[in-house]
Amino acid sequence: MHKLLTDSPGEKMLMLGNEAIARGAIEAGVAFGATYPGTPSSEISEYLFRISHETDLYFEYSTNEKVALEIAAGAAVCGLRSMAVMKHVGMNVAADALMTLAYVGVRGGLVIVCADDPFMFSSQNEQDNRYYGKLSGLPILEPSTGDEAKEMVKYAFDLSEELKEPVILRTTTRINHSSFVVELGNIRRRETRGDFEKNPFRYVTVPAVSRNLHKLLLQNYDKALATANRSPWNRISGDGKWGIACNGVSYNYVQDAVKELGISERTKVLRVGFSHPFPNGLVQEFLKGCERVLVVEEGEPYMEESVKAAAQEAGCTISIRGKGDELFSRLFEFDPALVRRNVARFFGLSEPMSESISAAGLPEIPQRPPNLCAGCPHRATFYSVRKVLGDDAIYPTDIGCYTLGLLPPLSMADFLICMGSSVGTAAGFARATGRKVVAFIGDSTFFHSGLPGLVSAVHHNHNFTLVILDNGTTAMTGHQPHPGVDLRPLGFEGYSTVDIETVVRGLGVKHVTVVEPLKLKKTQEAVKEAVEFKGVSVIISREICPLYAKVLPDAKKTRSFHVAEAKCANHRVCINDLGCPAFYLEDDRVKINENVCIGCAVCAQICPENAILPVKTA
């Protein structure tokens, strides 16, 4: 039994924040869920997906976040407690559905978990998704700890059903990926069978209907505002003339700073956990008696602007600061030391010296740029395309492991803005320049949002080559499935597998080739043919992710390679052209780390002296 199904109220467990969120959904009786994986939210979906195979919970990996939200919305309208999980940029994909769903509303609770990524540990931007609350008019909840996240999920379902609106649970990386002691609660019985009552004047959003629904949304907003002003998730602690308003993980840093600076007796803290609609009334109460207020929040000055607006409405003229050159940045994550330093600076205190953490005795961490894994088939594909076209072509790329082909020696990424963008931008580059264009997209990303661009390219007779890097999984986020994955080897029955080649041919692409990228010569021949084709050509470069392959039941053992010293001329073509992390230099000679090498044999194919050979086994 999955540990998150433990029915033992009162028991305490050490959980990742994402585990706590999944557990909260289980305790809330979630019956239906969908996702597209994205760090830092990925583990929530992984837990719920696995649990769905042990229970009557339905949970799916959808082709993208918009589809996930649409599916979850359909179930919620039928009265089922439902959840849609995504990372922050996924909300951009889902936004079209989100905005009108806010009008239509739901019957069963619908919680949208949206994980922001300050510092962009694994993202292309660090947008602050609290603004989606303002844009859509929907409530937003923000936990400060993992155990609070679990309880907030349960509350979010209740709030959603009370307001008959979706509720957004907004987290940040530090909440998702930190561990917390969490106390288990009761598990509510799941209602897995809903019903739908036709009501075109509620659910069919033609303009005449939507005009009335917008009024209903604003009425619900007013109810949510009243709830936010009295919500226990928004609370004031302490007393004094100095005020600090904060949210999320910053609340923990503020608590530490107030204690370490010794200002508990003269500081009161406002923690905002129900952050949209913003609790203006509570904030105005908080401002009374304050001489100055500091706002501590990662990301954009969402709360700072709201606190200032609340102060203006109340006729309060005290200094309220947050973002600024001398205080908090809109860039990146906060940490306890940064918050303590800025609290001290704002209130005119001297910051106590902190005891530095000694790193003596720890081995030095070798520095290296982000790189594809040893034996990654994407490296072989990039090598072959570069061998054929060099710098003559333009290489739009996409979101996934293969983005790591950016740096030398591969240098196979010239443009990237979002999921699926490689296909559309390839058409633009080709039409605008007349140059050869080879775009790269992963298999999961192809299903996510590559299809529409390819349809458009075929229809408009654009001229470029699309390489679909099919490694049989959603590798970058932790090997989640997508429609092209055969789930039977993992023990999951009842799924169909959508063949990419059939899809591509079905879309009307006339030149389609499937290659095995580890076979360099044949791959390069296929590349030459594809780029000479006039029109849209597609190469499906198919080789399983070696890390994913290791977890499959039929995983095969492979022999690593070594450099035969007597043959090696030390010209380093292997290092200079491939950049595989299994290579290293010792005494100025090329070596292969046999513990890292997986035996893909790509380097052996390009060595002029055939000096790279399999390690002999006893």
Side-chain angles (χ1 to χ4, degrees), residues 50 74 86 101 135 142 222 307 327 357 366 413 475 523 561:
R50 291 191 175 279
M86 59 197 72
L101 180 61
L135 189 61
E142 295 184 74
D222 290 340
V307 171
L327 286 172
I357 299 173
T523 300
F561 280 61

Side-chain angles (χ1 to χ4, degrees), residues 72-83:
V77 167
C78 292
L80 302 187
R81 287 199 157 192
S82 305
M83 176 178 270

